[in-house]
Amino acid sequence: MPEGLRVVAPGVSSTLQDAGRPGYLRYGISGSGAMDPDLLALANGLVGNPLDAAVIEMAMVGPTLVCETEACRVALAGAPFAMSLNGRALDPFTAHDLRRGDRLVLGGPRQGLRACLAVAGGFAVAPMLGSVATHTRTRLGGLDGNPLAAGDLLPLAAPAPRDRPLTLPPPHRPTFGGPIRVVLGPQADGFTEDGLRTFLSEPYTLTARADRMGCHLDGPPIAHADGFNIVSDGIVNGSIQVPGHGRPLILLADRHTTGGYPKIATVISADLGRLAQVRPGETIRFAAVAVAEAQAIARAARLGLAARLAALVPAGGGDLDSTFLLSCNLVGGVVSARAPDPAP
Amino acid sequence: MSEPGYRLLDCGDRALTVELSRAVDPTVNAQVIALDAALRGAGRPGLLETVPTYRSLLVLYDPDLLPRDDLVALIAAHWPPPDGAAAALRRWRVPVHYGDAHGADLADLAAGAGLSPEEVVALHAGRDYRVYMIGFAPGFAYLGGLDPRLHASRRTDPRPKTPAGSVSIGGNQTGVSPPLELPSGWQLIGRTPARSYDPARAEPFLFAAGDLIRFEPIDRAAFDALSEAARAGETVATLEQIDA
């Protein structure tokens, strides 16, 4: 009998994702990969995996999984999804061990939209074009290019580890929200001054047309300077197109590789993860930064992630103490935070 | 200082577009492809990926390994790219079954152009096209060099799904679909059994920007036989090396 994690219910949009499929944009293949790379790293860090191992990325409502192997260890990083093991509520950002027959139910998040579930040792799924990242439109990655479906068995690459599971103490857990920062261009000159002002000053609401490919926004129309057709050129993760109706469309991990609408701006790489947590119906505001500033923000974000990974500690026993200790530690600054000694 | 002949347009903090022109032009496209080859050939750490398009080159970079100023200098150092680098080195001969169920718009397109369907096929198949870029979908080849008599506007009502391997015309362009059912507003004139994209094949992609493509008409029986061979992993299209 094959063993692994059985998908009882897939949730709304659950796919296997890793760090993505670089190198094939020139052939029309999207990069794909986790919508929030920091969550990919944190989920994997919690179970002792390489930080880019494939995880289950979920949105809106997570999957229900049954352990059909002797034991495995899982951890959830991301929006606060309701999570339970055989009916008992579990803490996110903490690794948990499952035994054969255990039922892990991931509901919906109180806030935010997406999370990553990692399994210690990773999934035994063959990469396609160098990656396990699922791209459903081209049937790449995952299980035969498909999102998780009821009945799927996800084979695991290794048995559950025996050391103590890790947790990320609450003060170190990422929070979401705030403006989405952008670098203007590459076609900012395709818009009037009024159009640019509208884009940077007005709130925009995520519509229901939002998925891993991109999200359509609703709000005051942005005025083009001279038409809305350009000769198709390359698109990156975070490119903001403005089609003829004047409302922005942000292209994301699973986007087309080229497109023919003018791009007013690009979401900075450090804010793509926060953008991935915005739900349909919620509003965002855009703020412009210079390229050099965006690159400095990205470097700071990487230090922040390193600090979070360094803050992972064994779970269980004296939760209150470690929370207290870590909140003291936070005063010293997140960037320099290190895991405190659990026992003096 | 003279105009460098391109504009640099930032695409966020990890990419920039080298824009050579805003229009479609075979000379510009050849320069894009030559610049692409030159930059890739430079082998600089931190230059992650490049995407040649009709008239621009998208360059993805890691600013920690390749600071933006160094990338800008690298591009300047390779401008203008050598003419010879743009010469096509290979030509694909791609079998196409034109018309009937495989080219739903062939008759209408022919009528609109004042030609017979046979004349359309002869004009479409009788010349080399250059792959201007691959985009929109895996392996979808945008081809330049369509006979002006065959220019035809896109459909007002795009189809949500077109057959895998469709050969179609949109405006002054023609294109070949990968073996995926893509949404498209282009006019369908034929289908190729060749699979320009197959992740299970040792060489997943047939065409690259800068290649030449020549279509060769086949009949339905040949289409069916070649389709079967293609599904089994055969390339079906024939590759010719061209002496530089």
Side-chain angles (χ1 to χ4, degrees):
Chain A
M1 275 282 280
E3 301 211 315
L5 270 180
R6 179 75 67 184
V7 178
V8 176
V12 168
S13 172
S14 305
T15 54
L16 291 185
Q17 296 295 339
D18 57 16
R21 188 173 282 109
Y24 296 102
L25 290 175
R26 61 192 298 102
Y27 294 110
I29 303 269
S30 316
S32 299
M35 294 276 277
D36 184 341
D38 281 11
L39 298 182
L40 173 77
L42 286 172
N44 278 314
L46 280 161
V47 295
N49 284 352
L51 299 182
D52 58 354
V55 300
I56 299 173
E57 183 189 88
M58 63 198 73
M60 200 73 91
V61 176
T64 297
L65 305 165
V66 169
C67 179
E68 293 192 5
T69 184
E70 191 185 327
C72 67
R73 177 172 292 177
V74 300
L76 186 80
F81 278 69
M83 176 162 67
S84 69
L85 180 63
N86 302 329
R88 179 173 56 91
L90 294 183
D91 195 18
F93 289 102
T94 301
H96 301 280
D97 289 335
L98 275 57
R99 295 179 189 291
R100 189 180 297 279
D102 280 352
R103 187 182 180 91
L104 180 70
V105 179
L106 291 144
R110 278 197 318 279
Q111 51 177 303
L113 188 63
R114 289 189 169 85
C116 291
L117 184 83
V119 180
F123 297 100
V125 174
M128 292 172 78
L129 300 182
S131 165
V132 173
T134 312
H135 190 245
T136 52
R137 220 155 22 87
T138 54
R139 308 296 301 271
L140 277 170
L143 299 179
D144 296 322
N146 292 311
L148 298 195
D152 281 350
L153 183 72
L154 301 169
L156 306 184
R162 295 187 178 277
D163 54 349
R164 277 178 77 190
L166 297 176
T167 187
L168 182 66
H172 291 279
R173 297 178 186 180
T175 54
F176 311 113
I180 299 296
R181 290 162 294 186
V182 300
V183 171
L184 289 176
Q187 280 98 32
D189 58 357
F191 299 86
T192 64
E193 269 186 40
D194 268 355
L196 286 168
R197 199 175 307 124
T198 302
F199 171 67
L200 292 174
S201 60
E202 297 290 337
Y204 285 90
T205 306
L206 225 74
T207 69
R209 293 177 67 192
D211 56 20
R212 288 183 42 85
M213 229 178 115
C215 48
H216 292 256
L217 303 177
D218 201 1
I222 297 161
H224 294 88
D226 51 357
F228 50 85
N229 282 295
I230 61 167
V231 174
S232 287
D233 69 353
I235 293 174
V236 299
N237 195 356
S239 289
I240 306 175
Q241 286 187 334
V242 183
H245 52 56
R247 273 92 183 181
L249 159 58
I250 312 179
L251 295 153
L252 300 168
D254 286 359
R255 70 201 178 276
H256 293 306
T257 53
T258 57
Y261 293 118
K263 296 172 282 295
I264 192 169
T266 312
V267 177
I268 68 171
S269 60
D271 284 359
L272 288 169
R274 276 196 299 120
L275 178 61
Q277 297 296 353
V278 180
R279 300 183 189 208
E282 292 180 341
T283 58
I284 54 178
R285 287 178 182 274
F286 297 105
V289 295
V291 176
E293 189 181 351
Q295 292 176 342
I297 293 169
R299 273 189 287 274
R302 265 199 308 289
L303 288 176
L305 173 63
R308 289 194 169 102
L309 290 165
L312 293 172
V313 291
D319 269 355
L320 198 69
D321 285 351
S322 68
T323 304
F324 172 70
L325 281 173
L326 280 149
S327 54
C328 296
N329 189 278
L330 192 69
V331 177
V334 173
V335 169
S336 63
R338 289 196 56 84
D341 239 341
Chain B
M1 251 176 73
S2 65
E3 281 286 304
Y6 58 81
R7 294 201 305 159
L8 295 177
L9 309 172
D10 285 293
C11 304
D13 49 320
R14 297 177 65 82
L16 57 77
T17 290
V18 189
E19 184 184 75
L20 275 57
S21 163
R22 294 187 168 201
V24 178
D25 175 287
T27 314
V28 166
N29 183 252
Q31 278 193 314
V32 169
I33 288 160
L35 180 64
D36 176 51
L39 291 183
R40 277 150 58 90
R44 280 288 283 274
L47 200 157
L48 304 176
E49 272 194 82
T50 51
V51 186
T53 71
Y54 282 113
R55 42 85 186 199
S56 67
L57 183 69
L58 175 66
V59 180
L60 280 71
Y61 67 103
D62 179 343
D64 289 339
L65 298 175
L66 181 61
R68 186 183 180 283
D69 288 349
D70 292 4
L71 174 59
V72 170
L74 181 72
I75 293 164
H78 286 89
W79 186 267
D83 282 346
L89 296 176
R90 41 185 226 172
R91 177 196 290 122
W92 292 93
R93 291 187 175 273
V94 178
V96 178
H97 178 225
Y98 285 97
D100 301 333
H102 288 160
D105 300 322
L106 177 63
D108 284 353
L109 187 144
L115 299 165
S116 70
E118 292 74 19
E119 287 170 319
V120 170
V121 172
L123 285 173
H124 191 263
R127 57 168 60 201
D128 286 343
Y129 299 98
R130 184 186 183 92
V131 178
Y132 274 1
M133 70 173 192
I134 307 286
F136 171 58
F140 185 96
Y142 289 89
L143 307 178
L146 184 67
D147 189 295
R149 284 168 287 181
L150 301 184
H151 293 185
S153 71
R154 293 169 178 79
R155 291 167 55 88
T156 48
D157 184 20
R159 294 180 171 95
K161 256 186 188 185
T162 57
S166 283
V167 174
S168 54
I169 288 175
N172 58 4
Q173 308 169 75
T174 185
V176 197
S177 288
L180 297 169
E181 292 183 328
L182 303 174
S184 172
W186 289 23
Q187 312 270 355
L188 307 178
I189 62 169
R191 251 184 106 182
T192 178
R195 299 166 68 87
S196 63
Y197 160 66
D198 184 348
R201 203 166 49 204
E203 292 288 336
F205 308 97
L206 297 185
F207 314 137
D211 286 354
L212 297 180
I213 285 184
R214 179 177 281 248
F215 296 112
E216 303 199 314
I218 55 171
D219 62 17
R220 176 69 197 237
F223 177 89
D224 290 341
L226 290 172
S227 293
E228 202 161 312
R231 273 194 296 272
E234 277 185 47
T235 307
V236 174
T238 318
L239 181 61
E240 300 171 333
Q241 298 295 332
I242 300 170
D243 292 332

